[in-house]
Amino acid sequence: MKGHRTLWIPGKAGKLMIGYSVVIFVITLITGLVLWYPRKWNKKTALRNFTLKIKAPFARLNYDLHNVLGGYAAIVLFVLSATGLVWSFNWFSKATYCITSGGKELKPYVLPQSGTLHIEAGKASLNVLFKKLKEESPNAATFYFALPQKKEEVIRVSVVHERGSYYKTDNLFFDQYTLAPLQGSGAYAGKYTEASPADKLRRMNLEIHDGRILGIFGEIIVFVCALIGASLPVTGFIIWFKKKQNHSLHLRKS
């Protein structure tokens, strides 16, 4: 995870390097799509842009690997890049939320606080809270409890409704003395079913990014498209190098 997010570079440098590299990749992806899109739609252009000539010479096969596979994977790669940039840049995260929510501002994730007027009564029983939550969500896969360390902190409970799913989770908060439910703020706070469409989409960000949102089928698609994305700089460099060689050869002959 550290390698993926920061290249194992400490501080903000690694995160910025990854983020701006993805921005450059998105720009290259969009300009590549413009070049890939046929100016005229006919049988010849369709065959050239949508089919691989496996038995073609190496230069032609390399071009098809770059052009055809890149075209097929472009939409998925764009989604992977956009969901990744949500974690890289705060401005991108806020802008994405603003667009998906119809102009609303992304609220920071802030925990509520327990009321300190009931300290003398002592901490409430977790068994009582667990029983209550179990009755409300009998089919929940997992209950995670984060216990308070300070007198003003709350009991945090994550109720996971589907095993392996991150977004189908209720993030709830309770007063550690009275077990009174408290309201937090931010896209991840509260019950999933009560979240706005924009908040639900933000909670889905991780599972969209790694394909889990569509199960094993989605993970396979992301895996294949990620391999294609990794091949694009290689096949693109070969195309550039071949053109440079041909240009140099032409200059020598002239």
Side-chain angles (χ1 to χ4, degrees):
M1 180 66 76
K2 285 185 178 180
H4 185 68
R5 294 290 300 277
T6 67
L7 289 176
W8 298 282
I9 299 173
K12 295 182 179 180
K15 185 178 179 181
L16 289 175
M17 286 176 64
I18 292 291
Y20 284 114
S21 296
V22 175
V23 170
I24 293 170
F25 179 70
V26 170
I27 294 171
T28 309
L29 197 64
I30 293 171
T31 53
L33 276 174
V34 173
L35 293 172
W36 169 82
Y37 191 82
R39 294 180 182 179
K40 293 182 180 180
W41 282 95
N42 52 48
K43 185 177 180 180
K44 184 179 179 180
T45 57
L47 286 173
R48 185 177 68 233
N49 285 23
F50 296 102
T51 59
L52 282 172
K53 292 184 179 180
I54 303 297
K55 296 182 180 181
F58 174 76
R60 175 66 191 189
L61 176 60
N62 181 76
Y63 180 82
D64 282 354
L65 288 172
H66 186 85
N67 193 51
V68 178
L69 294 184
Y72 282 129
I75 295 176
V76 175
L77 291 173
F78 181 82
V79 172
L80 294 183
S81 300
T83 50
L85 287 173
V86 166
W87 297 304
S88 294
F89 299 111
N90 194 38
W91 61 265
F92 187 87
S93 175
K94 289 182 177 180
T96 304
Y97 186 85
C98 182
I99 293 170
T100 56
S101 66
K104 294 181 180 179
E105 183 181 357
L106 177 62
K107 295 180 180 179
Y109 183 61
V110 179
L111 301 180
Q113 292 186 336
S114 290
T116 55
L117 296 177
H118 302 88
I119 292 179
E120 294 181 359
K123 295 183 178 181
S125 171
L126 288 177
N127 289 331
V128 174
L129 179 58
F130 176 70
K131 182 179 179 181
K132 176 186 176 184
L133 293 172
K134 189 67 176 175
E135 289 175 352
E136 293 177 356
S137 304
N139 298 319
T142 314
F143 295 86
Y144 290 103
F145 286 79
L147 304 183
Q149 302 299 314
K150 298 179 181 179
K151 63 181 181 181
E152 71 276 4
E153 290 182 345
V154 295
I155 300 172
R156 289 179 288 157
V157 185
S158 294
V159 183
V160 182
H161 293 284
E162 185 177 309
R163 191 172 300 278
S165 174
Y166 184 76
Y167 76 92
K168 290 183 179 178
T169 299
D170 300 337
N171 295 303
L172 309 176
F173 313 100
F174 299 91
D175 188 296
Q176 63 172 302
Y177 308 107
T178 65
L179 297 184
L182 301 172
Q183 186 69 39
S185 70
Y188 295 93
K191 292 186 177 181
Y192 167 74
T193 54
E194 297 175 358
S196 67
D199 287 348
K200 286 181 179 179
L201 185 62
R202 177 50 57 94
R203 293 188 184 199
M204 293 177 186
N205 195 72
L206 174 61
E207 284 164 68
I208 293 174
H209 185 70
D210 61 20
R212 276 184 293 165
I213 195 79
L214 297 177
I216 187 64
F217 178 70
E219 291 182 273
I220 291 171
I221 290 175
V222 167
F223 176 73
V224 172
C225 289
L227 285 179
I228 294 172
S231 75
L232 293 178
V234 178
T235 53
F237 174 80
I238 293 172
I239 293 170
W240 169 82
F241 186 73
K242 288 287 185 182
K243 284 185 177 180
K244 189 177 180 182
Q245 272 189 328
N246 292 337
H247 181 67
S248 299
L249 183 62
H250 177 73
L251 287 176
R252 289 196 199 100
K253 287 182 178 180
S254 60

